[in-house]
Amino acid sequence: MAEATTDLRVRLRVLRRDFRLEVDLTLPAQGTTAVFGPSGSGKSTLLRAIAGLEPDAVGSIKVQGDVWQDEHASRPAHWRETGVVFQHTALLPHLTVADNLRFGWRRAGSPSTLLDQWIERLALAPLLQRRPESLSGGERQRVALARALVTQPRWLLLDEPLSALDAERRAEILPFIEAVRRDAGIPVLYVTHSVEEVARLADHLVLLEAGAVTAAGPALEILNRADLPLALRDDAGVVLEARVRERDPHGLLTLDTPAGPLHAHGREHVAGARLRVRVQARDISLALQRHDDSSLLNLLPATLVALTELPGGQVQVQLDASGVPLLARVSHRSVERLTLRPGMPVWAQIKAVALLV
């Protein structure tokens, strides 16, 4: 790919006494790029370096040929046209929500319609006269998102924006982040250590480990690879693209997926809606024959591809369901009892209540 066509070209190195970050990445111009890895892997350092907030970073950063940093100079953070939202929102405590939003909006010289637009899309109108200390964590993050967006950034940088929130607040704000992803029309760099957030939001995925990139590419391809460390985590699984066929009166969705039809409980999606469904390895059981006399609603024919021994007497089972990879976790005893081996046909059984949509 020619240099002029890349959106964000990053070649950076950060050296400290006990840490080294070294990356060479081209991040796509569209959608959301998630940077995922354990604590200490360099995720936030990478984001801060792109934003111009990391003085130890050396190398080059180019945005569609526009040089933000090279060996000769480094553009200051306020000239890099990024909107940054951190885990802790850093709202100005002495200002109301309205004045916090106007602060960045005036400095950027953005049109007033943009301010009104994000107040509406992030449902901030009831909060405008309140001060930050009176807001919940989720409300503060919505304000911080709007404050970043009204500056018309070329990139939106989100550094673990949900990690300080409890499960209820995370569920509250995720739809708003999805709205930003859908409506903002600008690329997003999203740092997280949550597989759930990656599965739900990411179009592109970068895996970091000990300051180095271990994999990068389309999110679903990376998430579903059995040869990466993600596949060995306790919450390992795959993510499938799905389309809602119908929703029954009790909230049970019928989903069309490349692996076959699935039933799941979730939010009130309408027929025709497209979404992602996450199938965790620990939620799949295996059978040698189809069983219709149980409470399990999801039964997928599959071929066993490979078996991998795991600690604690567990075995990871790689499956192929109509060309789609699946992972299952079973006990070593189950492998012996069913005489499981590569190449044999099996049925993957999944509880509808276990699926994450």
Side-chain angles (χ1 to χ4, degrees):
M1 182 179 291
E3 187 80 293
T5 65
T6 62
D7 187 81
L8 182 56
R9 188 76 177 94
V10 182
R11 293 173 178 166
L12 286 176
R13 183 172 67 253
V14 177
L15 298 179
R16 298 191 182 118
R17 185 174 62 181
D18 57 350
F19 175 74
R20 178 188 185 98
L21 172 71
E22 194 156 8
V23 298
D24 186 345
L25 288 167
T26 298
L27 304 181
Q30 303 85 24
T32 297
T33 295
V35 181
F36 177 87
S39 297
S41 60
K43 306 183 300 297
S44 293
T45 301
L46 173 60
L47 180 142
R48 288 175 56 84
I50 292 171
L53 301 171
E54 189 52 66
D56 295 331
V58 296
S60 64
I61 302 173
K62 297 179 181 179
V63 181
Q64 293 180 324
D66 187 11
V67 178
W68 285 3
Q69 180 174 335
D70 62 15
E71 66 272 19
H72 304 296
S74 179
R75 184 179 294 186
H78 60 279
W79 286 353
R80 292 200 181 193
E81 300 172 284
T82 60
V84 186
V85 177
F86 295 107
Q87 174 182 342
H88 301 290
T89 55
L91 299 175
L92 298 172
H94 62 290
L95 298 181
T96 64
V97 167
D99 288 336
N100 265 280
L101 296 179
R102 292 191 189 103
F103 182 81
W105 167 70
R106 287 197 189 99
R107 293 185 64 185
S110 304
S112 60
T113 53
L114 190 66
L115 182 61
D116 296 336
Q117 175 188 94
W118 285 112
I119 288 173
E120 179 182 356
R121 288 183 178 177
L122 296 179
L124 297 179
L127 310 179
L128 292 178
Q129 301 310 313
R130 293 168 58 183
R131 294 185 187 273
E133 71 270 13
S134 71
L135 305 177
S136 70
E139 289 169 340
R140 284 194 294 270
Q141 284 294 12
R142 281 156 51 199
V143 175
L145 272 172
R147 184 181 60 178
L149 288 162
V150 298
T151 65
Q152 291 186 297
R154 293 176 70 177
W155 270 80
L156 180 63
L157 311 180
L158 306 181
D159 188 9
E160 303 211 49
L162 307 185
S163 62
L165 306 179
D166 59 29
E168 185 177 352
R169 297 287 84 78
R170 285 197 298 272
E172 169 192 306
I173 198 173
L174 264 171
F176 290 102
I177 293 181
E178 287 180 316
V180 169
R181 172 178 177 259
R182 182 181 64 247
D183 301 335
I186 59 174
V188 179
L189 186 68
Y190 189 97
V191 166
T192 182
H193 63 268
S194 166
V195 176
E196 178 187 355
E197 292 169 27
V198 172
R200 189 156 164 180
L201 300 171
D203 303 295
H204 191 82
L205 178 58
V206 176
L207 300 184
L208 275 185
E209 181 75 35
V213 176
T214 58
L220 296 193
E221 289 183 16
I222 301 298
L223 283 168
N224 293 347
R225 278 178 54 178
D227 62 328
L228 292 174
L230 281 173
L232 301 179
R233 292 166 51 105
D234 289 341
D235 58 356
V238 301
V239 180
L240 306 177
E241 297 279 12
R243 180 179 177 276
V244 179
R245 184 192 304 173
E246 61 183 6
R247 181 177 184 273
D248 77 9
H250 304 286
L252 183 69
L253 304 174
T254 300
L255 307 174
D256 292 317
T257 82
L262 292 174
H263 300 284
H265 291 275
R267 294 171 298 158
E268 294 189 5
H269 299 286
V270 298
R274 296 191 176 276
L275 49 83
R276 292 176 176 179
V277 56
R278 186 160 168 247
V279 186
Q280 296 191 78
R282 64 190 180 200
D283 293 325
I284 296 182
S285 62
L286 301 179
L288 302 183
Q289 297 179 354
R290 179 184 176 113
H291 294 282
D292 293 311
D293 57 346
S294 78
S295 63
L296 293 168
L297 295 179
N298 296 312
L299 307 172
L300 297 177
T303 300
L304 198 155
V305 176
L307 300 166
T308 303
E309 296 276 352
L310 297 176
Q314 297 184 61
V315 177
Q316 183 112 294
V317 185
Q318 296 178 44
L319 303 169
D320 182 298
S322 301
V324 176
L326 294 177
L327 293 176
R329 288 272 174 91
V330 299
S331 68
H332 193 277
R333 178 171 295 184
S334 293
V335 171
E336 293 180 336
R337 186 165 62 86
L338 299 178
T339 321
L340 297 179
R341 63 189 182 280
M344 71 185 300
V346 295
W347 285 88
Q349 306 177 130
I350 316 160
K351 286 185 176 182
V353 295
L355 293 182
L356 305 174
V357 299

